[in-house]
Amino acid sequence: MQKISYKIGVDIGGTHIGAAIIKNGSQIIGRKQFPFPQDEVFATDYMSERGSIVCDYIYNLVTALLHEQRMSIKIISGIGIAVPGGISKDNETVIKAGNLGFYNLPLRKLVARRFENTRVSMINDADAAMLAEYTYGELQDTQTAVLITLGTGVGGGLVIAGKPFKGGMGNGIELGHMILKKDGDKCGCGHSGCVETLCSATAIKNMAIRSGYKKADDKFHARNIIDDAKDGIVDAEKIFDEFVDNLSCAIVSIINFIDPEKIVIGGGIAHTGDYLIKKLIPQVKEKSFFENGYAQICLAKYLNDAGMIGAALYNEKSLS
Ligand SMILES: [Zn+2]
């Protein structure tokens, strides 16, 4: 009989830190999230303090989640953390995560100190999502396919010849930082006009402010705009349609570049569901170079959970 395994996956995002208890690889049996403590983190320039603040949140989040599920940390065989940013090759240090304000932060070790006797691992969030969808989700059995994760930022991954592609030089894939608009908005990476500035939740928020639908000092999330659009509020619909138009440009460029069989959309915005896909597909069709069939476009199986599931899966893999 297979031994039951429990892991915890933690996904650090620009707006929330999510954690889930995951049974036997992909079954979520409990979840919880805290807001990302942006104000506290950006109030200090000391990286060790930023790390310490986030580690406190992660520790409290995991402890509260275990308490809710009446489980002890002792039965958790590992904690995997997914981070939206560049990570060192030894998976110890966050080199650059602009949305979190992390630069050269040895985060894995800092988290591991809080959870003595539990194995802690760290992985880039898009790589984690890729691992989850490739192992159990929509990228299973694909030969050439692309995953795009739409959240505070934009990430992605690529399957080539049936295997996740890690980049020719080992740098990975940065779909979010392909430049879609020369001299466009400033991106968290320091350049301008990246896919991330046009196709992320942050982009939707900026469009809402720019169009006057929201004020710059209003507290709101991209999902509020999307909900308004779904409710038929014309000005919100206009913003969402502009977002879809931008996203279709990025997707058509990817299709024209590698002609994948499937494009899978994950991340927080994937929760928009069919409303997004139904608007996106005609836009892609209109812009596509290929007339006789091209990539199937679908939602990720695990939507925004793929980061947590993949982080936990990586924890298992890194044991071997
Ligand atoms: Zn960028």
Side-chain angles (χ1 to χ4, degrees), residues 89-111:
K89 284 186 179 154
D90 61 3
N91 291 65
E92 287 288 331
T93 304
V94 180
I95 296 169
K96 179 175 162 185
N99 292 328
L100 309 182
F102 291 174
Y103 303 94
N104 293 317
L105 179 70
L107 186 67
R108 193 210 66 81
K109 195 169 72 187
L110 295 175
V111 176

Side-chain angles (χ1 to χ4, degrees), residues 9 22 25-28 128 131-132 136 302 305-314:
I22 297 155
S26 64
Q27 192 190 342
I28 291 184
L131 188 58
Y136 297 115
Y302 297 112
D305 291 338
M308 295 186 294
I309 292 170
L313 258 173
Y314 178 74

Side-chain angles (χ1 to χ4, degrees), residues 292-308:
N292 299 319
Y294 49 83
Q296 176 201 352
I297 299 171
C298 67
L299 296 171
K301 178 173 177 181
Y302 297 112
L303 300 177
N304 203 27
D305 291 338
M308 295 186 294

Side-chain angles (χ1 to χ4, degrees), residues 15 38 66 158 287:
T15 56
Q38 204 173 9
L66 286 167
L158 197 57
K287 297 181 180 92

Side-chain angles (χ1 to χ4, degrees), residues 177 187 189 194:
H177 301 286
C187 180
C189 73
C194 296

